Every structure is written in C-alpha cells, then in structure tokens.
Amino acid sequence: MLFRSERQVEAVRDALKALPGDAGERHLAMFASGLFTKMSALKPAVKFRYLKAGLLVIGEHKQAAEAKKLFDYYQDLVTEIRLQTRVDGPTSVATDQPFGLFVDLRHTREIERESGGFGRYLRNQNDVAYSFNYGRPTENYRDKFQEMCKAQLSENFDVLSVTFQTENVHSVATEEYGWRVTPYAYVMLKPRGPQIDRVPSLRLDLDFLDTSGYVVLPIESPALPIDASRSDAPLRPVADVELTQILDERQSKDGKLKLEIKATGHGLMPPLAQLADFAPAGFAVAETEDTGPMVSRFDQENQTAIVSERTWNLVLRANEGAELPRTFAFAKPKLE
C-alpha cells in the first residue's frame, strides 16, 4: 500500500504498535516479511516509494533485512546520479526573447559503468524496427522527456524546442573527483511575462535492474532562479558567427529591395540589432520577418555547445521624394 504523506505512514505504524498484547508485534512481523516478497508484483515506478513507506512503518525489523538491503541499493543510486539544469548565459533573460537551458546528468564513474552509459535515454526505442533494453521494456525516452518538459514548464514558459544529444555522447570529467557530466538536452524557452523568477525542476525517469526485476527512479533537478523582468537583457553567449546576406534587387527600379540575412554559429542566435548594424542610406525597412533562433544540433567536437541559426527577411523601400540610391550598404557585423 502506498501513502500520500509520512504522517499517514506514521499513523499506520502507531496503530500497529497500539494493538493489545503481542498482536502488534505479530502484525509488524507479518508486515515486514511481506514487504520484500510483494516487490515483484509492483510497478517499477512505485517500488522506491513503496519501500520507503514500508520501512518507516516497521523500522529496523529483522524480518525486513532483504527489503532494507534493496532500499539501500536504491538510495545509493539516487545519491550517485543527479539531474542538473543551467541557463545558457546570464540568468537575467529578456521578457520577450527566447533563452536556452542546458540539461545535464551529473554522476559518478561507477554508476555510469554499472548502467552501461546513458545513450539509451537519447533514443525512442519503439520507433525503430529492433531495440534491446537489457531486460527492460522498450521506451520512447525522448518523447517522455519532452512531454515532461511541457507539463512542468508550460505554465510560465513557451517551450519552443527540445534538442537532444546524440546516442554516442561521452561523459566529461568535472572538477570534483570521481564525478562526471553527460550532456543530455537543450531546451529553448520563452518567458510568459516579466514576473517569472524561476525555472521549475525537471525530471528524468531512469530504470535499473534489481533483484525484483527492475525499478524506475525519478531524478529531479533543483529549481533554477532567473530574472525575466528586463526587456533589454544582455547578449546571450555566441561564437563563430557567420552572416550570409543575399540581396534581391529585381524591383530596384521601383525603389524596393529584399534582403535575406542568415546567421549561424555556436550558441543561441540573438536579435539582429545585437549582431549587426544596419542602416542603409536612402532606404527604410518596411517589413521584417524573423524566424527566431532555431537549434539544429549539439556540436560534436564541443559536446557542451549547440549550433543554431536565425534568418531575417527584410523588405526595404527607398525614401519617398528622394532620388533612388545608386549604392547599397550591407549590414555590418558587430562581432568578430
């Protein structure tokens, strides 16, 4: 039986101990001996909570030795692996502009070796003709994580995209001895107002084999404080930016030009005003179509960086009453 709170668990324990004579001890013994034997009938997602509640009821009972041993194994697992999130750049984000959120698995070397790595959580196993999951049922891990992100974040954010690492991702060492980080996903978000001051916790369900079959352990990240109150947040981190500009001058005799500006590089591409200066003499920008930043993939050489692009389609019209310009100046990059 599962309980909604520790207070209810304590009420069951107190009720058993309050039974007259030796009835309380006999019932606790029966409860303890059945705690482990019933594990195989449970759904994997509830095993951890089941054991936690059951051991709170019976305490250090000798009949619960096997259950205690399994619960200690679960405890070791959840202390050796963590889900962590971090904002891509400053935690001060613009109210009306997207920003990125890195999602990483932080873990010990031992848990990575025991689990066989975390590549399987980066694929939808049911979408391929054949998939092996080491004795566990196959899962669409990517879809599950995306659905969780929308459920957790959609109240305060527009979830614009979720980009996953590749299945052959490798963990990297951290400054803390024995711990490593495996990059998992990049979530692009847009705040739904200046009042937003945190990113809620995210969850990734990890499954492990145990003596009762297998168990699903939810790993949650802590909430992340942010400041979305500014309309002019600082430039997001970008590098290796390339600007491609294509001018369509087929309607120039009518005083109309079309200009496509495409930016690609590492990091989330910012608004055009932060990337380039553009004020062509004799023309005014009549229309602007902005695709917004689009994340294409994680960089394969630098696994902690993403590659994105952003395109602007501009319609330019010559100033009324003036002679049509004979020259045109493209946008000048602000960055190296």
Side-chain angles (χ1 to χ4, degrees):
M1 183 177 180
L2 294 178
F3 303 91
R4 292 185 177 180
S5 70
E6 290 189 8
R7 186 173 300 175
Q8 291 174 297
V9 177
E10 293 169 355
V12 173
R13 180 191 61 200
D14 295 341
L16 287 174
K17 290 183 176 181
L19 292 173
D22 63 349
E25 178 56 35
R26 284 189 288 107
H27 279 80
L28 279 174
M30 288 189 293
F31 191 109
S33 62
L35 194 60
F36 179 76
T37 58
K38 291 180 171 58
M39 287 287 294
S40 59
L42 295 176
K43 292 183 178 181
V46 302
K47 289 182 178 180
F48 181 72
R49 288 176 290 157
Y50 166 84
L51 283 180
K52 182 178 181 180
L55 291 171
L56 281 174
V57 171
I58 60 178
E60 297 291 333
H61 202 286
K62 62 181 180 179
Q63 297 278 19
E66 289 299 318
K68 182 66 166 57
K69 187 185 301 182
L70 188 56
F71 183 69
D72 289 342
Y73 169 68
Y74 293 165
Q75 290 278 63
D76 288 341
L77 290 177
V78 298
T79 56
E80 291 187 27
I81 186 166
R82 308 166 191 164
L83 190 68
Q84 62 182 23
T85 56
R86 53 189 174 88
V87 176
D88 182 11
T91 55
S92 177
V93 301
T95 306
D96 59 348
Q97 289 292 326
F99 70 97
L101 189 72
F102 284 104
V103 182
D104 302 322
L105 282 166
R106 184 181 178 90
H107 50 82
T108 62
R109 292 177 297 184
E110 291 75 18
I111 200 69
E112 181 180 21
R113 183 171 59 249
E114 182 175 333
S115 64
F118 303 102
R120 68 176 180 274
Y121 299 106
L122 288 161
R123 68 175 77 105
N124 283 334
Q125 295 178 323
N126 293 326
D127 292 345
V128 296
Y130 173 78
S131 187
F132 177 67
N133 201 16
Y134 305 94
R136 312 168 184 87
T138 54
E139 287 278 6
N140 282 351
Y141 291 110
R142 289 164 60 124
D143 287 351
K144 284 182 65 176
F145 184 77
Q146 284 184 299
E147 292 167 4
M148 180 280 306
C149 284
K150 291 178 181 178
Q152 291 289 96
L153 302 172
S154 58
E155 181 178 353
N156 294 321
F157 298 92
D158 292 324
V159 182
L160 303 179
S161 68
V162 180
T163 304
F164 291 92
Q165 260 288 4
T166 60
E167 298 176 19
N168 57 357
V169 62
H170 299 292
S171 63
V172 294
T174 68
E175 294 180 356
E176 187 176 359
Y177 177 77
W179 286 82
R180 302 182 67 82
V181 167
T182 298
Y184 183 71
Y186 187 89
V187 184
M188 184 163 59
L189 305 172
K190 184 178 178 181
R192 289 190 169 181
Q195 76 282 1
I196 308 303
D197 60 0
R198 71 185 185 98
V199 178
S201 64
L202 301 182
R203 188 188 75 253
L204 182 63
D205 292 333
L206 304 179
D207 45 60
F208 297 90
L209 292 174
D210 63 16
T211 54
S212 66
Y214 77 102
V215 61
V216 174
L217 298 177
I219 310 298
E220 295 189 352
S221 66
L224 197 63
I226 63 168
D227 177 11
S229 62
R230 297 178 54 179
S231 60
D232 57 342
L235 176 70
R236 313 313 299 172
V238 291
D240 307 318
V241 179
E242 294 183 1
L243 285 182
T244 303
Q245 304 185 60
I246 301 175
L247 181 65
D248 181 352
E249 53 183 329
R250 288 175 294 180
Q251 301 179 59
S252 59
K253 65 179 185 300
D254 300 323
K256 180 180 179 181
L257 299 176
K258 293 183 179 180
L259 178 66
E260 178 187 278
I261 303 176
K262 183 176 181 179
T264 59
H266 291 101
L268 207 59
M269 292 298 107
L272 181 60
Q274 292 184 324
L275 280 180
D277 289 318
F278 184 56
F283 290 96
V285 179
E287 299 175 29
T288 302
E289 180 186 346
D290 181 359
T291 64
M294 294 182 290
V295 181
S296 55
R297 58 184 171 83
F298 273 86
D299 186 84
Q300 295 309 298
E301 294 183 2
N302 180 5
Q303 295 184 122
T304 60
I306 55 101
V307 177
S308 76
E309 63 182 48
R310 189 168 185 168
T311 303
W312 297 267
N313 290 298
L314 310 178
V315 175
L316 311 175
R317 294 192 182 276
N319 297 330
E320 292 186 10
E323 183 181 354
L324 292 180
R326 294 181 177 274
T327 60
F328 177 80
F330 286 93
K332 184 179 179 181
K334 288 184 176 180
L335 307 178
E336 289 289 338

